[in-house]
Amino acid sequence: MGMHTGAHIVWDWNGTLFHDNEAIITATNAAFAELGLEPITLERYRELYCVPVPRFYERLMGRLPTGDEWEVMDAAFHRHYTEHRPRCGLTEGAAELLAGWGSAGRSQSLLSMYGHDELVPLVRGFGIEPHFLRVDGRTGPSGGSKAEHMVRHLAALTGVAPGRTVVIGDAADDAVAALHAGARAVLYTGGSHSRAGLESVGVPVVDTLAEAVAEAERLAS
């Protein structure tokens, strides 16, 4: 990617660069069906979604799922998500934005809570891996926060200062993780949260990835 000018973006994957809302809601409803819960709409999902994910289920069930229930629902979610994922593609304009940010001499990386071994070939398959200094997916159990993963991710990037880093994601947890690691955040409304939910975090909220990149450039300058 050549010389870097200091400003760095850490991109989220699901719901941000990867437009997988349809697969997410289908898999979520499949997980609910395992416990006899009624399906929900994408709008309802955006109103209630949070991490850790068992808390999201608690909002729907009125109680936390038991350990056994969580395992059943988590397995069902990932099974159905994998089945429907091939129908999804990159968010409109994402590839061009990645290329433009890199061609300006700025650096970027990708951190996702999607499983690392599945994430890397998926990113590679879209031909965008060369844009990133590093691609990290989740290792270990699913359902938790991104905060500690963000700290490790930034620590592994040579020459990237958290204070010149902006995280772009679609979830409140992306902003929490950014602030935990000493970075800033911009949240995008096209993914897992409602605008109202994102605005409650207190960071900039935008409706397109192009706006997110412009805001990141301003914040990191």
Side-chain angles (χ1 to χ4, degrees):
M1 292 177 61
M3 297 296 292
H4 309 309
T5 59
H8 182 82
I9 290 176
V10 178
W11 291 94
D12 174 56
W13 180 245
N14 302 98
T16 303
L17 288 177
F18 190 47
H19 187 65
D20 60 349
N21 291 342
E22 181 180 346
I24 289 285
I25 196 65
T26 299
T28 297
N29 283 329
F32 289 169
E34 293 285 338
L35 296 189
L37 299 174
E38 292 295 318
I40 62 172
T41 63
L42 177 60
E43 290 70 26
R44 183 67 170 156
Y45 179 95
R46 285 173 165 165
E47 289 174 5
L48 297 177
Y49 181 74
C50 64
V51 295
V53 177
R55 294 290 183 185
F56 168 51
Y57 292 153
E58 180 183 27
R59 292 180 174 185
L60 289 155
M61 299 170 65
R63 62 174 176 82
L64 279 170
T66 66
D68 288 344
E69 287 172 334
W70 163 250
E71 289 184 9
V72 168
M73 296 173 79
D74 191 47
F77 175 88
H78 287 289
R79 184 171 66 252
H80 286 273
Y81 179 81
T82 299
E83 177 185 344
H84 290 277
R85 185 190 67 199
R87 304 176 189 175
C88 304
L90 295 178
T91 300
E92 183 178 358
E96 293 79 7
L97 290 167
L98 293 173
W101 184 264
S103 66
R106 304 182 181 98
S107 61
Q108 54 200 325
S109 59
L110 194 158
L111 175 63
S112 173
M113 294 301 282
Y114 192 47
H116 183 79
D117 291 342
E118 294 177 279
L119 173 69
V120 172
L122 183 56
V123 172
R124 190 170 293 154
F126 283 111
I128 59 174
E129 187 182 22
H131 294 305
F132 303 115
L133 294 180
R134 186 178 181 92
V135 174
D136 284 333
R138 172 185 49 78
T139 56
S142 63
S145 173
K146 187 181 275 188
E148 292 305 324
H149 296 268
M150 185 67 70
V151 171
R152 291 193 294 271
H153 179 78
L154 291 179
L157 296 171
T158 302
V160 172
R164 296 293 307 281
T165 297
V166 179
V167 176
I168 296 178
D170 70 310
D173 189 55
D174 290 305
V176 171
L179 298 175
H180 180 74
R184 301 186 184 188
V186 178
L187 297 179
Y188 162 62
T189 62
S192 61
H193 280 39
S194 67
R195 172 174 274 278
L198 296 178
E199 288 178 339
S200 69
V201 184
V203 302
V205 176
V206 298
D207 295 319
T208 69
L209 292 188
E211 291 175 286
V213 169
E215 188 66 16
E217 184 173 9
R218 184 187 70 81
L219 290 173
S221 62

